[in-house]
Amino acid sequence: MQLLKRSCLIASGLLMLATLVLAMPSPREQVQQTVEQVLEVLRNKAISGQPRREALSRLIRARFDFAAMSQRTLGKHWKDASAQEQARFVELFSDLLEASYIGRIEAYSGEIVSYRGERIEGDMAEVDTSVHSGNVDIPINYRLVHEKGGWFVYDVIIEEVSLIKNYRSSYGEIVRKEGYPGLFARMEAKIRELRAAPPKGTKG
Amino acid sequence: MSSSRLMTCLMLSVWFLLATLATATAADGETPVPAGPTAGLERDWTQLPSDEQELEVWDPLEPFNRGMFWFNDKLYFYALKPVAKGYRAVTPVPVRESFGNFFRNLSAPVRIVNSLLQFKITNTLDELTMFCANSTLGIGGLFDLRNNAPREPSPEDFGQTLGHYGTPPGFYLVLPVLGSTNARDAVGQVADSLTAPVPSPYYVKMETAEVAGLETFDTVNGLSLDKDTYEAIKRESLDPYLFVRNGFMQQRQAKVDK
């Protein structure tokens, strides 16, 4: 009797756990949610300029783990940097990524995003999406990590090219040649440039 | 034409051999970066399992390559892009897409041969089926029936065939007009030029000027459909040369692995 009671308890506990796990949004759902929210802002003709950029910024910062991306970008150089340099880098890199991303998505002109699939391995996942533009499909995959109750993007792979690996090779070379002051100066100049001149959308 | 092509082929082969030798010796000296905890973040983000195939680009010709990159940049902004814009203004999208389909279909022999060389049988049959369907029902390739196909074939070329059998990419190389390549893929491009209906002399005999004209048209047509990819890269990166170099090498590696 005791045994039956206990196993009942365990079973119901497991069931509760299972429903909890099932109720949690999957990485694919979370990517889709953010992308759809971004598209909604872009389609909304009522907001533009600075308020629109702020809305986009909020959505992006809620789904991208910029701190992890910064650390991955510096790679082995991260450990050589002082705490102050690390903090400055995270700040600048977040701004730069955001400005680049907003620049890209502001050129949006009705492309269709489809969500292909997801692979989960422990607390890491990859979500495949595809952007249909004209007669080409551009594969865009998001790599995510599970932390603090949600899935967060730590790398984006566009047409087989990992953005973070790409940044890492460029930034590594700049740090080697010019040190952190040189890298920071270049990043500051680039952020100013990106914010000053939003790209014009062009038709295909 | 044929003697100059032979010269290029020879030159590239010598470079290529040197490159292979040098990469083979360079690979021994590398030590992996040890992973360890870092302050502030719970996970060490500097090293992840997905970094195992970290790609170190070998670029001994960097000064030359940067020169060529500068040249191609000017060629793009002062010649190709203005022509593509003018052409875009007078030609409707479906027409330009059809020309794009036509050239893509025309280069099918390259993809079929290289799929076969790698014994990717399903892929070869898919390419062959698409080629036959597009050439007939698709009216000489003007219409692409690929959207109705169950699978998207992965396009193969001779550089990938070499990579498939273990040839390393060798050094990075920027060619005038043709752009990014590497030692292995440059050899591949020369080999593919023998199986591609343009510019191979084995299908239709064409003058050099005619071949150049067709290839320029293909490029301009492609650019007219492009959404300023290069402009975005140039605007966003701290050093566009490094961005393009790494992006190209990553993409080629991924294609070889597929």
Side-chain angles (χ1 to χ4, degrees):
Chain A
M1 199 56 203
Q2 194 69 22
L3 191 73
L4 191 70
K5 223 181 212 171
R6 190 176 289 168
S7 49
C8 262
L9 213 66
I10 292 175
S12 60
L14 279 176
L15 200 71
M16 266 165 67
L17 203 71
T19 43
L20 211 71
V21 169
L22 286 174
M24 274 204 327
S26 72
R28 202 190 85 137
E29 283 165 349
Q30 297 220 298
V31 166
Q32 184 162 2
Q33 187 191 16
T34 299
V35 172
E36 294 304 326
Q37 282 170 337
V38 163
L39 293 182
E40 206 172 299
V41 172
L42 292 173
R43 288 194 199 104
N44 187 350
K45 296 275 185 283
I47 45 170
S48 62
Q50 199 53 37
R52 180 159 98 153
R53 295 194 148 211
E54 275 163 21
L56 293 172
S57 168
R58 266 197 302 280
L59 290 172
I60 297 162
R61 292 202 182 229
R63 184 60 54 220
F64 286 73
D65 186 341
F66 282 151
M69 291 172 118
S70 305
Q71 218 188 60
R72 267 174 75 62
T73 294
L74 281 190
K76 57 188 176 198
H77 297 286
W78 176 263
K79 288 171 190 125
D80 306 334
S82 71
Q84 217 173 359
E85 284 168 333
Q86 289 179 348
R88 182 79 185 123
F89 182 76
V90 172
E91 190 186 338
L92 283 174
F93 192 60
S94 307
D95 286 351
L96 189 61
L97 277 180
E98 185 191 282
S100 307
Y101 192 72
I102 289 182
R104 287 269 174 128
I105 55 184
E106 283 199 322
Y108 174 80
S109 52
E111 288 84 0
I112 297 155
V113 183
S114 47
Y115 306 87
R116 292 273 154 90
E118 66 183 348
R119 288 177 297 286
I120 306 175
E121 245 175 75
D123 59 351
M124 309 289 242
E126 186 161 336
V127 175
D128 302 346
T129 75
S130 159
V131 177
H132 191 78
S133 164
N135 62 347
V136 285
D137 278 315
I138 303 157
I140 299 181
N141 296 0
Y142 296 87
R143 292 213 171 125
L144 302 101
V145 58
H146 190 264
E147 52 190 7
K148 292 170 245 145
W151 290 93
F152 295 91
V153 177
Y154 72 86
D155 197 358
V156 184
I157 290 103
I158 304 173
E159 288 191 270
E160 324 260 19
V161 178
S162 148
L163 268 191
I164 295 299
K165 278 189 189 174
N166 192 310
Y167 281 123
R168 175 156 48 206
S169 92
S170 309
Y171 285 36
E173 195 146 331
I174 295 169
V175 170
R176 257 199 309 281
K177 285 183 182 154
E178 302 168 19
Y180 284 103
L183 179 67
F184 292 165
R186 278 185 188 230
M187 290 172 84
E188 281 159 7
K190 193 45 94 177
I191 294 164
R192 269 199 303 277
E193 206 181 299
L194 284 170
R195 285 188 177 158
K200 293 161 287 197
T202 45
K203 295 269 175 298
Chain B
M1 181 63 195
S2 70
S3 71
S4 75
R5 182 180 286 160
L6 194 70
M7 270 307 292
T8 335
C9 192
L10 270 174
M11 249 164 67
L12 288 172
S13 317
V14 173
W15 269 351
F16 175 64
L17 271 176
L18 288 173
T20 324
L21 283 172
T23 4
T25 44
D28 299 331
E30 281 168 27
T31 43
V33 184
T38 33
L41 290 148
E42 296 136 43
R43 184 191 297 270
D44 179 15
W45 282 101
T46 56
Q47 204 71 12
L48 286 184
S50 59
D51 298 339
E52 273 163 17
Q53 337 82 319
E54 187 73 69
L55 160 122
E56 288 288 331
V57 179
W58 186 40
D59 192 5
L61 301 174
E62 187 170 339
F64 167 82
N65 284 343
R66 280 196 185 265
M68 286 304 119
F69 190 82
W70 177 87
F71 172 80
N72 289 341
D73 177 86
K74 297 289 170 253
L75 183 74
Y76 178 86
F77 283 109
Y78 293 113
L80 291 173
K81 197 69 191 197
V83 173
K85 273 186 180 161
Y87 168 68
R88 175 160 68 196
V90 296
T91 321
V93 178
V95 175
R96 286 184 276 133
E97 284 181 351
S98 276
F99 282 135
N101 292 339
F102 173 77
F103 281 110
R104 195 182 179 282
N105 186 57
L106 202 59
S107 59
V110 173
R111 299 191 294 274
I112 295 168
V113 165
N114 286 293
S115 269
L116 198 59
L117 285 175
Q118 297 171 51
F119 295 105
K120 295 183 173 167
I121 303 303
T122 324
N123 207 54
T124 311
L125 292 175
D126 284 352
E127 286 284 5
L128 207 57
T129 317
M130 286 317 297
F131 181 56
C132 293
N134 285 342
S135 303
T136 52
L137 294 170
I139 316 175
L142 288 175
F143 299 94
D144 193 353
L145 308 169
R146 155 166 68 129
N147 291 336
N148 306 327
R151 287 176 300 270
E152 173 97 1
S154 98
E156 302 293 336
D157 55 46
F158 198 66
Q160 291 176 60
T161 303
L162 290 172
H164 180 76
Y165 291 108
T167 312
F171 56 85
Y172 179 64
L173 179 65
V174 184
L175 295 173
V177 188
L178 299 174
S180 286
T181 188
N182 56 45
R184 177 193 64 207
D185 295 335
V187 173
Q189 279 165 302
V190 175
D192 286 333
S193 73
L194 299 175
T195 53
V198 180
S200 170
Y202 302 125
Y203 298 80
V204 190
K205 266 259 176 283
M206 275 190 288
E207 299 290 327
T208 312
E210 289 170 331
V211 170
L214 276 173
E215 285 184 344
T216 310
F217 177 65
D218 185 15
T219 307
V220 167
N221 188 66
L223 274 182
S224 79
L225 291 163
D226 173 69
K227 293 203 173 205
D228 299 342
T229 312
Y230 179 61
E231 280 86 342
I233 288 173
K234 214 183 157 188
R235 193 177 57 239
E236 286 165 13
S237 23
L238 298 186
D239 184 341
Y241 173 80
L242 295 179
F243 189 100
V244 171
R245 182 177 82 182
N246 180 276
F248 173 79
M249 293 301 251
Q250 271 198 53
Q251 208 166 47
R252 291 301 298 176
Q253 185 58 48
K255 284 191 169 153
V256 167
D257 292 341
K258 234 181 200 171

